[in-house]
Amino acid sequence: MHDAFEPVPILEKLPLQIDCLAAWEEWLLVGTKQGHLLLYRIQKEAGCNRFEVTLEKSHKNFSKKIQQIHVVPQFKILVSLLENNIHVHDLLTFQQITTVSKAKGATLFTCDLQHSEKGEEVLRICVAVRKKLQLYYWKDREFHELQGEYSVPDVPKSMAWCKDSICVGFKRDYYLIRVDGKGSIKELFPTGKQLEPLVAPLAGDKVAVGQDDLTVVLNEDGICTQKCALNWTDIPIAMEHQPPYIVAVLPRYVEIRTFEPRLLVQSIELQRPRFITSGGNHFVWRLIPVSIAIQIQQLLQDKQFELALQLADMKDDSDSEKRQQIHHIKNLYAFNLFCQKRFDDSMHVFAKLGTDPTHVMGLYPELLPSDYKKQLQYPNPVPVLSAAELEKAHLALIDYLTLKRSHLVKMLNDSDHQSTTSPLVEGTPTIKSKKKLLQIIDTTLLKCYLHTNVALVAPLLRLENNHCHIEESEHVLKKAHKYSELIILYEKKGLHEKALQVLVDQSKKANSPLKGHERTVQYLQHLGTENLNLIFSYSVWVLRDFPEDGLKIFTEDLPEVESLPRKKVLSFLIENFKNLLPYLTAGSEFHNCLIQLYCEKVQGLMKEYLSYFPPGIFSHGLQHVKMVFVRELTKKLVVTLKELERSTVEIGLGILHKGFME
């Protein structure tokens, strides 16, 4: 709890019994049981919460019975219930202006000041006359009937306006009467065990309704607007709304609470308090609001950030000072939510702030470089999270970072490349560059996905605008043994040689998902002409160990493969892999080269066979021997070229026969 108000005595041991009170600005109006009306001027002494109280006017014969008074300073009038009738007096002179003759027998009234569509102030009054409600409005120094009377089930004991409805408390039940022409009457709920019902108007066109030690808030349709009722320590006698506080008079205390957040703020012990604005007493206390700045300081120490925010918004500071303090409190609030393990709520608040995302990431272990994290400051020590808590926290962070990333990507094309983030704690360094911030966010998302859902890593790395930091991402992916994802990182960053080296290394490991040569073939097929040297270099081991699949690097029906320079590919294969001749059938130009290679092969075979015959044997006319030689040589050639296409073989054979027969 903190001190929202300080009780200061104004009138002590007054010789007259007080029946009702009204106050405005520096004036206090007191109606007594003896029928006296007293006007006091209350002036605050400089530098302290002490007051100079002066009796400015006393009207000893104001009425025989003063039951209720209500001041309307906007119209400079005093509305009173005197001897069971409604009277209106001038607020300055106490001279009577008018009475409401039809309201004889009245026991209660309630006033309401609204603004019309034209911006004019409209005063309405509802008067309870036995079991009827009468409605009037103020114009030309008179009360005029607003509409017809409303019959009600019993004599009203308490009532208050609620926009175009009136909430009425009877002896046993509460009702809501619509006065906007519909005239509907809605029964709400019983009053409870308390002797008197209690209805008090609230800001925002709502009413507080008491049921024993509970208070609920209703709108003009009679619907409860708060999740939970306020629970007082005793049954309230009277209530007054002083936003953000609701003040209730209990039999021994004045208790101050708030609706949102639902808190007991302060309890002030006074001598038999009876009413906030009226009561049968000889004492009057003034509840002086404690300085908002002091209240905020107390609330922040107690970690009551929601109430501190409401008070900060009520301060009379300049707009810039107010925004700065509210922003600071919200940061403290978001940090406190994180410490309470309310991760989703914490990230939701951080998302609305311009807090540097790296300061939010710093709440988590192992997401930021240690050197940078040492520079970050927090209001209190960051909590240590269990494995289950950390996973939940990471999921909340992912939503937060995804939102921030989307916002930054949209802003990246702006002429201003600087971010406008603010520190969580003043004096802590922030990241100014949008690109740098995006790099940190993407890298952190990668780490979070590795902790929570590995299936999301690859889609992140495949993004065209992926900004992951290469070295840091490389480190965490290797540590997690996510080599397939590491290949994607390298590929998207144009680090093809690193990717190919990983593929070579992993191809030899029995338990690796990248075992074998297939991924290398696929990777090389998509590199294109600009990476021709890499293709040649890393295709060697595949062509050597898996020649058929290795040739697909240069022959597959893919745009990148078809665009490769064929002459350079041909030269590479001729120089290193003459035995893989089928590739050379790809075009007429290469057919000629292929035939030349066939001829070279034939010449080698001819020399081999001729070495078996005596010199000059074919010059002696041994035609049949020559034919046998050709036949055997042809068989040898067919066997040698058995993997070639049939048409190519026929070309080679045709050339061979022609050469020998000549």
Side-chain angles (χ1 to χ4, degrees):
M1 295 197 302
H2 78 282
D3 292 338
F5 295 92
E6 178 185 345
V8 178
I10 300 296
L11 301 177
E12 297 185 275
K13 298 181 180 179
L14 194 69
L16 303 169
Q17 181 174 316
I18 300 170
D19 271 355
C20 50
L21 295 171
W24 76 102
E25 298 174 359
E26 59 182 16
W27 302 97
L28 173 66
L29 200 58
V30 178
T32 71
K33 187 175 183 179
Q34 291 77 8
H36 295 186
L37 187 65
L38 310 175
L39 178 64
Y40 291 91
R41 187 173 187 176
I42 315 295
Q43 292 180 295
K44 188 176 183 295
E45 296 179 8
C48 64
N49 280 343
R50 309 293 299 179
F51 295 89
E52 181 183 347
V53 181
T54 307
L55 179 61
E56 294 286 339
K57 190 176 294 187
S58 174
H59 197 313
K60 293 185 178 180
N61 299 311
F62 187 69
S63 175
K64 293 180 181 179
K65 185 179 181 182
I66 305 176
Q67 297 161 274
Q68 189 179 349
I69 58 176
H70 180 83
V71 172
V72 189
Q74 293 86 347
F75 293 98
K76 295 182 174 57
I77 59 173
L78 169 65
V79 183
S80 309
L81 178 59
L82 308 175
E83 301 177 42
N84 298 106
N85 200 2
I86 301 298
H87 296 255
V88 182
H89 292 78
D90 185 280
L91 191 55
L92 300 177
T93 64
F94 291 166
Q95 289 184 353
Q96 182 167 299
I97 298 173
T98 186
T99 61
V100 183
S101 58
K102 191 177 178 180
K104 289 181 180 179
T107 54
L108 184 67
F109 74 88
T110 179
C111 290
D112 175 62
L113 191 67
Q114 294 280 338
H115 287 83
S116 68
E117 295 180 357
K118 297 180 180 179
E120 299 173 343
E121 292 177 321
V122 178
L123 175 64
R124 300 183 295 181
I125 184 173
C126 176
V127 184
V129 181
R130 291 177 287 277
K131 293 184 180 182
K132 293 184 181 296
L133 297 182
Q134 298 176 0
L135 303 178
Y136 302 92
Y137 68 96
W138 181 254
K139 186 177 181 181
D140 299 331
R141 310 291 278 176
E142 290 281 350
F143 271 121
H144 303 268
E145 285 192 63
L146 184 62
Q147 50 188 279
E149 296 180 334
Y150 290 89
S151 296
V152 291
D154 202 349
V155 177
K157 299 288 186 180
S158 178
M159 60 184 184
W161 285 85
C162 184
K163 202 172 182 181
D164 289 326
S165 297
I166 298 174
C167 186
V168 184
F170 301 104
K171 186 176 181 179
R172 292 184 175 83
D173 302 282
Y174 290 104
Y175 280 74
L176 191 77
I177 293 94
R178 293 296 296 260
V179 295
D180 55 359
K182 298 178 181 179
S184 62
I185 299 179
K186 179 180 180 180
E187 184 176 356
L188 299 176
F189 43 79
T191 56
K193 299 176 182 178
Q194 62 186 31
L195 298 177
E196 293 290 335
L198 178 56
V199 182
L202 301 178
D205 295 321
K206 296 175 184 176
V207 288
V209 181
Q211 189 179 49
D212 296 329
D213 58 352
L214 300 177
T215 294
V216 296
V217 178
L218 306 178
N219 62 16
E220 66 169 334
D221 296 316
I223 298 172
C224 185
T225 62
Q226 301 290 330
K227 292 181 180 179
C228 301
L230 285 185
N231 195 341
W232 305 94
T233 55
D234 204 337
I235 298 176
I237 300 167
M239 255 185 278
E240 182 76 16
H241 193 205
Q242 293 290 323
Y245 304 112
I246 179 138
V247 184
V249 176
L250 309 180
R252 291 180 55 210
Y253 300 94
V254 172
E255 201 163 271
I256 297 101
R257 291 180 177 268
T258 55
F259 289 113
E260 289 293 341
R262 197 162 152 266
L263 297 173
L264 169 60
V265 174
Q266 189 178 4
S267 184
I268 302 172
E269 186 172 357
L270 297 175
Q271 298 177 17
R272 299 186 305 280
R274 283 291 309 279
F275 220 76
I276 291 177
T277 54
S278 66
N281 270 327
H282 300 272
F283 295 84
V284 174
W285 287 271
R286 182 171 180 178
L287 297 182
I288 306 299
V290 173
S291 162
I292 289 181
I294 295 175
Q295 289 192 60
I296 290 174
Q297 187 178 359
Q298 292 177 345
L299 288 167
L300 294 182
Q301 290 175 354
D302 295 339
K303 295 182 171 54
Q304 296 295 344
F305 301 103
E306 292 173 274
L307 184 52
L309 284 170
Q310 294 183 49
L311 290 176
D313 194 46
M314 295 168 60
K315 287 183 72 176
D316 294 329
D317 295 343
S318 66
D319 289 344
S320 60
E321 290 176 328
K322 186 181 292 188
R323 282 195 301 269
Q324 186 176 358
Q325 183 171 40
I326 289 174
H327 189 274
H328 172 66
I329 295 172
K330 285 182 177 179
N331 268 322
L332 295 178
Y333 178 44
F335 176 79
N336 187 64
L337 288 171
F338 187 90
C339 294
Q340 293 177 356
K341 316 297 174 63
R342 294 169 59 185
F343 306 115
D344 288 328
D345 293 337
S346 174
M347 295 302 122
H348 181 70
V349 177
F350 275 129
K352 292 183 177 180
L353 299 172
T355 310
D356 192 307
T358 62
H359 295 190
V360 180
M361 300 173 202
L363 298 170
Y364 296 75
E366 299 181 0
L367 291 184
L368 294 176
S370 57
D371 291 343
Y372 180 75
K373 190 170 181 179
K374 288 176 183 177
Q375 302 178 56
L376 302 181
Q377 300 176 31
Y378 295 99
N380 298 106
V382 177
V384 177
L385 306 178
S386 66
E389 289 170 342
L390 191 57
E391 182 176 0
K392 186 179 178 182
H394 277 136
L395 291 172
L397 181 63
I398 287 171
D399 290 341
Y400 164 78
L401 291 178
T402 302
L403 189 64
K404 286 294 177 184
R405 183 187 194 281
S406 175
H407 180 67
L408 273 172
V409 168
K410 291 177 182 177
M411 296 177 60
L412 199 57
N413 295 327
D414 295 348
S415 56
D416 183 10
H417 298 295
Q418 297 293 306
S419 66
T420 56
T421 59
S422 58
L424 197 155
V425 173
E426 287 300 323
T428 309
T430 59
I431 303 298
K432 301 299 182 185
S433 167
K434 291 178 183 177
K435 286 189 176 181
K436 180 67 175 177
L437 197 53
L438 263 174
Q439 185 183 67
I440 296 172
I441 287 176
D442 280 0
T443 308
T444 303
L445 277 172
L446 172 64
K447 294 176 181 179
C448 290
Y449 290 153
L450 287 171
H451 284 298
T452 58
N453 189 350
V454 179
L456 296 176
V457 172
L460 171 66
L461 295 173
R462 287 194 181 100
L463 288 174
E464 289 299 325
N465 56 3
N466 154 37
H467 293 83
C468 286
H469 186 272
I470 295 172
E471 289 78 9
E472 187 70 15
S473 302
E474 182 181 50
H475 172 72
V476 295
L477 288 170
K478 284 182 177 179
K479 185 178 179 181
H481 303 289
K482 298 300 176 184
Y483 294 103
S484 294
E485 289 80 3
L486 182 60
I487 298 299
I488 299 172
L489 172 71
Y490 287 148
E491 182 182 11
K492 289 298 179 181
K493 297 296 182 181
L495 301 174
H496 302 302
E497 187 161 11
K498 278 195 167 189
L500 289 165
Q501 190 56 54
V502 171
L503 287 170
V504 171
D505 295 340
Q506 293 297 309
S507 68
K508 304 168 186 176
K509 296 183 179 180
N511 297 325
S512 173
L514 301 175
K515 181 178 182 293
H517 62 283
E518 289 83 2
R519 284 293 300 275
T520 300
V521 171
Q522 294 170 10
Y523 198 98
L524 292 171
Q525 285 173 335
H526 291 89
L527 281 181
T529 305
E530 62 272 18
N531 296 292
L532 190 60
N533 290 335
L534 274 180
I535 297 173
F536 288 161
S537 176
Y538 282 88
S539 65
V540 169
W541 75 273
V542 185
L543 287 164
R544 183 188 64 236
D545 299 341
F546 308 95
E548 185 175 346
D549 288 341
L551 279 177
K552 292 179 181 178
I553 297 169
F554 306 100
T555 61
E556 198 73 16
D557 186 17
L558 293 170
E560 297 89 344
V561 173
E562 291 179 352
S563 66
L564 294 176
R566 309 306 258 174
K567 287 185 179 181
K568 290 183 179 181
V569 172
L570 179 62
S571 298
F572 166 72
L573 290 175
I574 290 173
E575 183 179 349
N576 299 283
F577 301 97
K578 282 187 178 181
N579 59 316
L580 300 180
L581 299 180
Y583 172 76
L584 303 178
T585 65
S588 59
E589 181 181 353
F590 300 146
H591 279 298
N592 296 333
C593 185
L594 179 62
I595 291 169
Q596 182 180 348
L597 291 173
Y598 290 162
C599 289
E600 290 177 5
K601 187 72 173 178
V602 169
Q603 289 174 4
L605 290 172
M606 286 177 64
K607 289 180 180 179
E608 180 184 349
Y609 272 84
L610 287 174
S611 65
Y612 299 130
F613 294 90
I617 185 171
F618 295 119
S619 61
H620 296 134
L622 297 177
Q623 191 68 23
H624 68 284
V625 176
K626 185 177 181 180
M627 294 302 297
V628 170
F629 170 73
V630 172
R631 185 170 60 251
E632 292 302 319
L633 188 59
T634 301
K635 289 180 181 178
K636 182 70 174 178
L637 181 62
V638 170
V639 171
T640 304
L641 306 177
K642 64 181 179 179
E643 294 181 357
L644 299 178
E645 291 181 343
R646 183 175 182 83
S647 60
T648 307
V649 174
E650 290 174 353
I651 293 171
L653 289 176
I655 294 172
L656 175 66
H657 278 282
K658 182 179 180 182
F660 274 97
M661 294 310 294
E662 291 176 350

